[in-house]
Amino acid sequence: MKRSYFILLLCTLMACSKSTTDDAITCTEEFVYGLNVTVRDANTDVLLTNDEVTVLAQDNDYSEMLAFSSVVFLGAGERPGTYILTVAGANYETLVSDPITIVLTEDECHVIPQAIEVRVQPN
């Protein structure tokens, strides 16, 4: 009887000693944009800015006008999904992209950014 009690106690202690925090994932506070879009004039290869074009990303009912930063349009911040881009400008033909899929990293902390370059035709 004492031996059975000892084995039961030992098993209980071993089961309780496993820490649930051993497998915890610690995510960084970095904010990652899923879409990093560079837009170029198809004829001149010149980089276009938000003064020349806008970039709209749409995933089903969600839509977002991408923000321009230096030389790239940024959007879908930490938001996985399948996006269609619409690039439009007064002096350019409207371009509609193929679907672009943004997924989470393996640890599900951030999205995996997609660098996309599109070329738009002048009118």
Side-chain angles (χ1 to χ4, degrees):
M1 176 79 169
K2 282 186 177 185
R3 185 172 197 183
S4 297
Y5 178 72
F6 176 73
I7 291 173
L8 181 61
L9 178 64
L10 184 60
C11 289
T12 303
L13 289 174
M14 287 176 54
C16 291
S17 68
K18 181 168 175 34
S19 171
T20 58
T21 60
D22 291 345
D23 297 331
I25 296 171
T26 303
C27 296
T28 65
E29 292 184 21
E30 175 186 20
F31 187 81
V32 178
Y33 288 99
L35 295 169
N36 297 265
V37 182
T38 303
V39 182
R40 292 184 180 274
D41 182 298
N43 292 344
T44 65
D45 205 38
V46 170
L47 284 170
L48 301 179
T49 69
N50 59 330
D51 292 333
E52 290 100 8
V53 295
T54 59
V55 181
L56 176 73
Q58 186 154 7
D59 173 29
N60 295 316
D61 293 336
Y62 175 84
S63 66
E64 172 185 0
M65 192 66 68
L66 273 57
F68 185 73
S69 176
S70 293
V71 297
V72 68
F73 290 86
L74 300 170
E78 299 293 6
R79 189 178 187 283
T82 301
Y83 295 88
I84 304 286
L85 300 179
T86 303
V87 181
N91 298 319
Y92 292 92
E93 294 177 13
T94 299
L95 178 138
V96 178
S97 76
D98 291 332
I100 301 160
T101 302
I102 306 297
V103 297
L104 291 172
T105 56
E106 187 175 308
D107 60 9
E108 298 186 357
C109 286
H110 301 290
V111 293
I112 298 172
Q114 298 294 315
I116 298 122
E117 181 172 286
V118 296
R119 295 176 183 278
V120 290
Q121 290 290 334
N123 288 335

